[in-house]
């Protein structure tokens, strides 16, 4: 079920990334402190970092190196990072297939959390959609007309 849900997320994400492809490179990097991480680029990288921290590092035990936003200068750089996210989600859905409600213990900033894979997956997915909304709002402030990137459109 998680794999099917992630396919819906990918469809929405691809719509968003195609839309961002029409945004100028300058606007892609323009900081606006009213929108979370500041720029469309930063928001995309932050989405990836969150997936990599929760799914890659905490759930799968894969050590991560979190590079500064400035290391991602283009949409293509961000799309490459999303491919890493997709790989982690593939590993995650296989590892926890049929065990979506089984409790797991994770370490977050030296605090122990007890969650299940469904909660973890839901957390990163809703996080992505929250920031997708910020990207759409930020792009509107930059003079663009956002597309419908909902799951059902």
């Amino acid at each position: 079920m998680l794999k099917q849900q992630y396919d819906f997320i990918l469809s929405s994400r691809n719509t968003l990334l195609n839309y961002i492809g029409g945004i100028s490179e300058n606007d892609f990097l323009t900081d606006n402190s009213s929108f979370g991480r500041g720029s469309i680029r930063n928001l995309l990288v932050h989405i990836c970092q969150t997936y990599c921290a929760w799914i890659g590092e905490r759930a799968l035990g894969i050590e991560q190196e979190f590079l500064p936003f400035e290391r991602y200068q283009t949409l293509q750089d961000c799309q490459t990072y999303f491919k890493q996210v997709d790989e982690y989600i593939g590993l995650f859905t296989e590892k926890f297939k049929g065990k979506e409600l089984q409790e797991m213990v994770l370490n977050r900033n030296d605090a122990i959390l007890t969650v299940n894979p469904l909660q973890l997956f839901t957390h990163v997915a809703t996080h992505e959609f929250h920031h997708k909304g910020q990207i759409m709002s930020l792009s509107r402030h930059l003079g663009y007309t956002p597309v419908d990137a909902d799951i059902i459109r």
Side-chain angles (χ1 to χ4, degrees):
M1 188 64 89
L2 296 182
K3 166 92 173 75
Q4 291 171 329
Q5 187 173 10
Y6 193 66
D7 287 344
F8 296 140
I9 293 167
L10 284 176
S11 174
S12 173
R13 182 187 301 152
N14 289 334
T15 298
L16 173 69
L17 295 175
N18 287 336
Y19 165 69
I20 292 172
I23 292 175
S24 76
E25 287 182 33
N26 184 55
D27 288 341
F28 179 72
L29 298 172
T30 296
D31 277 331
N32 184 322
S33 62
S34 297
F35 292 92
R37 301 291 171 178
S39 70
I40 293 170
R41 180 265 319 269
N42 292 3
L43 288 162
L44 291 175
V45 171
H46 173 66
I47 291 166
C48 291
Q49 289 173 337
T50 300
Y51 273 103
C52 289
W54 284 105
I55 301 297
E57 190 169 68
R58 293 183 180 108
L60 297 173
I62 302 169
E63 190 173 326
Q64 302 295 305
E65 179 183 8
F66 296 103
L67 302 175
F69 294 133
E70 294 73 28
R71 291 289 298 271
Y72 304 88
Q73 287 298 308
T74 66
L75 175 59
Q76 179 61 45
D77 293 339
C78 295
Q79 289 171 311
T80 299
Y81 201 0
F82 273 113
K83 285 182 178 37
Q84 182 67 64
V85 167
D86 297 342
E87 183 179 320
Y88 289 159
I89 290 292
L91 294 169
F92 178 84
T93 57
E94 280 303 308
K95 180 176 181 175
F96 295 104
K97 188 175 186 177
K99 299 181 259 181
E100 292 84 356
L101 299 177
Q102 180 179 348
E103 286 189 346
M104 56 196 295
V105 177
L106 303 177
N107 185 327
R108 177 185 182 214
N109 304 327
D110 296 323
I112 302 300
L113 300 175
T114 302
V115 299
N116 64 50
L118 179 59
Q119 284 175 299
L120 196 53
F121 183 86
T122 302
H123 175 71
V124 293
T126 58
H127 174 266
E128 176 175 353
F129 276 75
H130 162 71
H131 288 300
K132 179 180 74 167
Q134 288 182 320
I135 290 168
M136 294 300 200
S137 293
L138 176 52
S139 73
R140 185 179 302 282
H141 282 272
L142 292 168
Y144 298 88
T145 302
V147 297
D148 182 355
D150 288 339
I151 297 287
I152 299 174
R153 47 187 182 279

